[in-house]
Amino acid sequence: MQPFRFAHLSDPHLPLAPDRPRGLEWLSKRVLSYQSWQRKRRHAHTPAMLAAIVADIRAQGVDHWAVTGDIANISLSGEFQRGAAWLQTLGAVRDVSYVPGNHDALVPMPFADGLGLWADYMTGDGQGEVAFPYLRQRGPVAFIGANSGLPTAPLLAQGCLGSRQMERLGDMLADAGRRGLFRVLMVHHPVADGVVSNRKGLTDRQELRALLARTGAELLLHGHAHVANLSMIKGPVGPIPSLTVPSASAIGYRHDMPARWHLVTVDTDGPDWRVQVEVRGVQRRDAPVTALGGWTLRLPAMV
């Protein structure tokens, strides 16, 4: 088997300007998030940093892009239009997989004017329309995208999969395991405890961890926390690495962690999987994107 290499990046938070809420849009959670953008986020995220991360990913010649949410900031229609244009710059539709974040689902939004504009990047193999979770097989890897983004009350940034999505996810993971695929589960909100506060957490992460303990997966990918984290989740034949990556556009404003991305290489090691993760990013705003470290694991194949 030829090694399969893919990029994991998250939370690009494209610039909000020139958009701003208008009319009745001010009478929603958007007003608080707009104030947050004006006060901090517009200083913390820059197009130049995001462009540097994307250029570095292209230079590595990856086979696929896995993006774990939050292109948008306050779910305005213009953000979804610009997000669609940005996704097109990454590569062909079949080479880019996306799952929504909480900022992409900040308030209820007509599908056609919002997430529907990114539908091609969230549609599974053989599906005619978006339905979560989805599965896209690329080489030996099954990219499985679950949607944890949903509108929440002001001052909350929680996520939830829900029982229907969870049931389908269990069947999908089990089937992909039986077919001998390397299962990569993409969920915007981290699954491990303690990565984010309860105010920002996945409300049914305990149920998801119980499901993963039964069905297994080879790798979990997250964003949302804007920090780097590696946790281990219990699986049926061994621990499952759970990777959280900082924002791809973050400059390291104040105490924030600057931008990083993960270069993941999947290969075989006898009957089992060998996964290598190289962490790439910047040490500070004016530094080039370089390798910052990494690790290699041998993961038992699901039987």
Side-chain angles (χ1 to χ4, degrees):
M1 184 190 83
Q2 286 284 86
F4 187 90
R5 304 166 79 241
F6 66 90
H8 170 219
L9 66 158
S10 196
D11 298 71
H13 287 293
L14 300 186
L16 181 57
D19 283 347
R20 59 180 293 170
R22 299 179 184 277
L24 294 178
E25 290 176 339
W26 286 108
L27 302 178
S28 70
K29 186 179 177 179
R30 283 191 179 107
V31 65
L32 295 176
S33 291
Y34 181 75
Q35 291 170 350
S36 175
W37 170 264
Q38 292 286 60
R39 185 176 62 253
K40 176 188 175 182
R41 288 187 178 275
R42 66 190 178 99
H43 304 295
H45 303 274
T46 70
M49 181 60 75
L50 179 59
I53 292 293
V54 169
D56 188 60
I57 295 173
R58 286 204 182 97
Q60 306 308 312
V62 299
D63 299 304
H64 200 74
W65 302 62
V67 189
T68 49
D70 277 358
I71 288 175
N73 296 283
I74 63 174
S75 293
L76 290 175
S77 59
E79 293 187 279
F80 290 102
Q81 294 165 15
R82 289 195 299 279
W86 179 75
L87 285 167
Q88 290 172 12
T89 70
L90 302 185
V93 165
R94 76 174 313 277
D95 297 330
V96 182
S97 295
Y98 190 79
V99 292
N102 58 297
H103 284 270
D104 303 324
L106 195 74
V107 297
M109 182 83 177
F111 184 75
D113 299 326
L115 289 174
L117 297 178
W118 307 341
D120 289 343
Y121 306 92
M122 303 184 294
T123 302
D125 296 340
Q127 289 182 327
E129 59 186 17
V130 175
F132 292 103
Y134 66 77
L135 185 149
R136 310 174 97 197
Q137 182 179 344
R138 302 294 183 263
V141 179
F143 290 96
I144 299 174
N147 182 14
S148 62
L150 77 170
T152 58
L155 304 180
L156 294 179
Q158 294 173 324
C160 181
L161 296 184
S163 58
R164 291 184 62 183
Q165 191 174 179
M166 201 86 73
E167 182 178 354
R168 293 189 63 229
L169 180 60
D171 293 340
M172 195 172 284
L173 285 166
D175 179 67
R178 286 190 291 269
R179 290 193 286 137
L181 299 175
F182 185 94
R183 297 160 296 172
V184 176
L185 175 59
M186 303 164 57
V187 184
H188 179 67
H189 292 75
V191 176
D193 288 333
V195 184
V196 294
S197 67
N198 286 334
R199 182 181 71 84
K200 298 182 178 181
L202 186 70
T203 58
D204 50 2
R205 61 187 181 276
Q206 184 174 346
E207 290 84 349
L208 178 54
R209 290 198 301 265
L211 183 151
L212 290 166
R214 297 192 303 272
T215 64
E218 280 60 59
L219 185 63
L220 311 180
L221 302 179
H222 317 292
H224 188 52
H226 290 209
V227 298
N229 179 266
L230 170 62
S231 299
M232 290 295 179
I233 304 298
K234 181 181 178 182
V237 294
I240 304 169
S242 183
L243 273 172
T244 302
V245 71
S247 164
S249 62
I251 63 170
Y253 182 71
R254 295 180 179 172
H255 301 297
D256 290 351
M257 184 173 287
R260 294 184 183 183
W261 68 280
H262 295 132
L263 173 59
V264 183
T265 302
V266 176
D267 203 350
T268 52
D269 182 8
D272 297 327
W273 295 108
R274 180 177 182 269
V275 56
Q276 180 180 356
V277 177
E278 181 179 335
V279 181
R280 300 186 62 84
V282 299
Q283 296 281 17
R284 60 184 187 276
R285 179 176 185 172
D286 57 349
V289 181
T290 60
L292 301 177
W295 45 269
T296 301
L297 280 178
R298 180 176 177 269
L299 302 176
M302 186 72 175
V303 293

